[in-house]
Structure formats: C-alpha cells, structure tokens
Amino acid sequence: MITIRDITDFLEGIAPQGYQESYDNSGLITGQASWNCTGVLISLDATEEVILEAASRGVNLVVAHHPVIFKGLKKLNGNSYVEKAVIAAIKNDVAIYAIHTNLDNIKDGVSGKMASLLGLENVRVLEEKTGTLSKLYTYVPVAQKGKVLQALFDAGAGRLGNYSECSFSVAGTGTFKANDEAQPFVGKIGERHLEEEVKIEVILPGLLERKVVRALKQSHPYEEVAYELIRIANPNPEIGSGAIGELAEPLEEGVFLTRLKEVFNLRVIRHTPFTGKPVKRVALCGGAGSFLISTALGAGADIFITGDVKYHEFFDAEGKMVIADIGHFESEQFTIDMLYDILLKKFPTFAVLKSGVKTNPVQYFI
C-alpha cells in the first residue's frame, strides 16, 4: 500500500522543501503523511471545487502548485475561498500537498518546462541561488580512498552541472596517538602514529550534509573521522529563479509572439514595444517574475516572458528587450502535466489524475 508519505517523499527528492522561498508554505498542508493514499489529483490551485473533485473521484491527495494557505488562519468559518477549501479537505479526509517555489527553483522545474515547450536550447537557470552549496574536507588512508569516495558520490556529493563524481585530492601525512580506550585502525596505543593519507574535497548540496556525513562515517575505517564541513558562497547552477535559453533560429518579434500564443494557448499578450531586433535569446519565469527583469536584461535576453507585470515595471525594459506578460495561470498551466508525468513514471500502476477544474480566476472579455 502506498502512503501519502511515499508520494511526498518522492516529490521532495525532486524539489526539496529547503529550496522554497522564505514567504512560501510548500509541503503537507492538510492530512497526515501516514495515511494510505487512494490516489493523487494534480491541480494548479487547491480550491474547494478541486477538493470536492478529488473526493468524488475517490482519491485522498491533492498535489497543488500553489499553497492554499500562505499565512496563519485564525478562524475557519468558510468566509473565504481558503477557509472553504480547508474545511472541505478536513470533512472529506483529503490531504493537500503544495509544491510551489521549491519546484520553481529547480532547473527542470516550472520555468524549465516553459523553456522546453518553446524548444529552447542551452537552457540554464536565469538567477542562480547562492548559499545552497557546501564543501566537505576529509582525510583518508590511501588504500581506502576509493571506497570512501564512492560512498560520498553515492550519497549525492561531487555533482557539478553536467558532471558527477567530481572531487579533488592531495597526498599528505596524518598523525595521531590513541589513548587506552581507543581501538585504532592503524597504529599502537600510546604511540604517535604517522599515516600516509589523502585529503579529499567534494562539493555537495547543503540539504544533503547529514546524508553525506553519515555515508562518510559508515565507509571510513577510522574510529574517529576527521572532517570539515563549510557552506560556500558559490552560486548553484542547478537551483534558482527563471530560465534562459536560445532559439535554434532567430525569429522576428511578431512571429515569435504568435508562436508563444499558440504554444501556451493564449488569448492575449501584454507586452512592451518591439525593439526591432530578432528574438534569439529568451528568458522566462513562471508565475510572477517581474523581479527578474533586470537579470534578464543583464543576461542579454531579447524577450522576457512571465506573468503579473505591473504598469511601471514595463518601463524597466528600457527599450532593450521585450517584456511579454502572458498571465500567471497561463505561464504555469503546464505544471500539471509536468507533475503528472513525474508521478506516473514513478508510480505507473497508481491512480494519478489531472484535475478537470479550471482554477484561473482571471477572465478576458474580448
């Protein structure tokens, strides 16, 4: 039997909660992780209608991109759409799990999905996060170097962009003297011992520190393992906001916007005046991404695609690129397909469903 925890642990292995923004509320919002899971319904928003849809279709877990609760609730009277959704979830024993900015902030997340739909090449994170990487230093007898390195790699250390099993090592001599209570791997009690060792250095995601250190201690031959673990300021190329890539062939601005409308099934695009230059480099951010306008400019983007751009923020294009506001919902709508594919691949015989409720609160009168 699959539990709620089985589903959420798998999703957090892809988009760890530690990568969400400080204002966010990703994770399990209602329900209990220990419940047996009868199925998953995927939606962009966890509204009351979506919760009731889940109950009617016999599933007890809603995986939504947007958290239905962003801040504390003081009352549950059903006087807001948030309260109505929470009450419906509690009444029907439906768990709500949100996977929001942590999914935004991984390379192959929401913005990466947008880039894929547009056929962009050489896609990378637009604004890489800092403070998410750590570095481990340890000292190993020469003969055990391979075993310890492999354990560190298996635990997730040593990955840099498109490369894995990255490390640096240098030979040296370690010294130690074991006391009467020690059980030394090498050397004698009460005598200083000199051992030819290798200093190993590996970079790892900060969220994996405990796992990597545990792997180090389990694979290391010494009774007491010497190591140093520090956070580093290097930007993480795998984690951050937005995405940027290139079209295989440049397109005239109007032609590109027509293609954008077709791919995202748009009725309207709000945009700045054309610059007269062809579109080659495309930056984008799912949801509300106007905070990345200057970053997109600095990266040499010809167009920046996002949602929720305010009037005065359009001026920030400075006539150097086109800002295209396609709408918040519209930019994130294919997140449902992405999560569906991810879950179905992992749980191919399990009930994974897409919501039929269109939760977009914005309508257009044309």
Side-chain angles (χ1 to χ4, degrees), residues 12 15-21 102 105 129 132 207 239:
E12 286 171 21
Q17 287 192 46
Y19 291 148
Q20 69 177 308
E21 300 296 332
N102 47 327
N105 283 335
K129 276 191 174 297
T132 65
L207 295 176
I239 304 299

Side-chain angles (χ1 to χ4, degrees), residues 306-354:
T306 189
D308 293 351
V309 180
K310 296 179 181 179
Y311 174 84
H312 289 96
E313 292 170 334
F314 280 103
F315 287 105
D316 295 336
E318 300 286 353
K320 298 176 183 178
M321 73 174 182
V322 174
I323 296 175
D325 184 337
I326 65 174
H328 194 121
F329 176 91
E330 289 78 5
S331 69
E332 296 181 332
Q333 60 185 301
F334 294 104
T335 303
I336 296 173
D337 294 332
M338 177 175 63
L339 289 169
Y340 176 83
D341 292 341
I342 288 171
L343 285 171
L344 198 62
K345 184 176 181 180
K346 175 65 176 178
F347 305 98
T349 61
F350 194 61
V352 180
L353 310 173
K354 299 179 187 178

Side-chain angles (χ1 to χ4, degrees), residues 123-304:
V123 178
R124 60 179 178 83
V125 173
L126 179 57
E127 185 173 81
E128 299 172 356
K129 276 191 174 297
T130 60
T132 65
L133 293 172
S134 298
K135 194 167 189 180
L136 174 72
Y137 304 86
T138 191
Y139 310 85
V140 185
V142 174
Q144 279 72 40
K145 174 186 174 182
K147 177 184 177 182
V148 173
L149 263 181
Q150 191 60 56
L152 297 177
F153 295 152
D154 291 345
R159 295 175 186 170
L160 293 172
N162 294 325
Y163 296 85
S164 61
E165 301 194 3
C166 302
S167 70
F168 178 78
S169 59
V170 60
T173 303
T175 67
F176 52 84
K177 183 168 67 173
N179 64 26
D180 292 339
E181 297 180 0
Q183 295 179 333
F185 176 70
V186 290
K188 297 180 180 180
I189 299 293
E191 296 182 7
R192 181 190 300 159
H193 177 77
L194 280 69
E195 181 70 22
E196 296 305 310
E197 296 178 335
V198 176
K199 179 182 180 182
I200 296 174
E201 303 179 22
V202 288
I203 289 179
L204 59 139
L207 295 176
L208 294 181
E209 286 180 355
R210 290 185 179 181
K211 181 180 180 181
V212 170
V213 170
R214 185 166 58 249
L216 169 65
K217 291 181 176 180
Q218 290 173 349
S219 62
H220 203 290
Y222 286 175
E223 184 179 15
E224 300 289 348
V225 181
Y227 69 92
E228 303 164 66
L229 191 61
I230 61 172
R231 284 292 175 107
I232 58 177
N234 300 43
N236 189 337
E238 301 295 318
I239 304 299
S241 303
I244 187 168
E246 291 82 36
L247 295 169
E249 297 292 336
L251 294 176
E252 185 270 333
E253 290 163 308
V255 173
F256 178 78
L257 288 188
T258 298
R259 176 174 167 182
L260 185 62
K261 286 185 69 175
E262 293 172 350
V263 171
F264 286 86
N265 192 28
L266 306 174
R267 300 183 67 185
V268 64
I269 298 176
R270 300 165 64 227
H271 65 87
T272 55
F274 289 165
T275 65
K277 302 181 299 181
V279 174
K280 174 67 174 177
R281 183 169 293 178
V282 179
L284 34 78
C285 179
S290 58
F291 68 98
L292 290 172
I293 290 175
S294 62
T295 306
L297 270 174
D302 301 307
I303 189 166
F304 177 51

Side-chain angles (χ1 to χ4, degrees), residues 12 60 63 81 83 87 97 118 143-144 160-161 217 235 240 267 273:
E12 286 171 21
N60 66 345
V63 173
Y81 83 94
E83 293 177 18
I87 290 171
Y97 180 81
L118 289 170
Q144 279 72 40
L160 293 172
K217 291 181 176 180
R267 300 183 67 185

Side-chain angles (χ1 to χ4, degrees), residues 20-21 23-29 43-47 62-71 81-82 85-86 96-102 104 328 332:
Q20 69 177 308
E21 300 296 332
Y23 61 81
D24 203 5
N25 189 35
S26 293
L28 193 61
I29 293 176
S43 179
L44 203 62
D45 304 281
T47 63
V62 169
V63 173
H65 183 46
H66 297 136
V68 67
I69 300 175
F70 267 105
K71 53 188 177 181
Y81 83 94
V82 174
V86 173
I96 301 174
Y97 180 81
I99 181 167
H100 190 212
T101 53
N102 47 327
D104 290 330
H328 194 121
E332 296 181 332

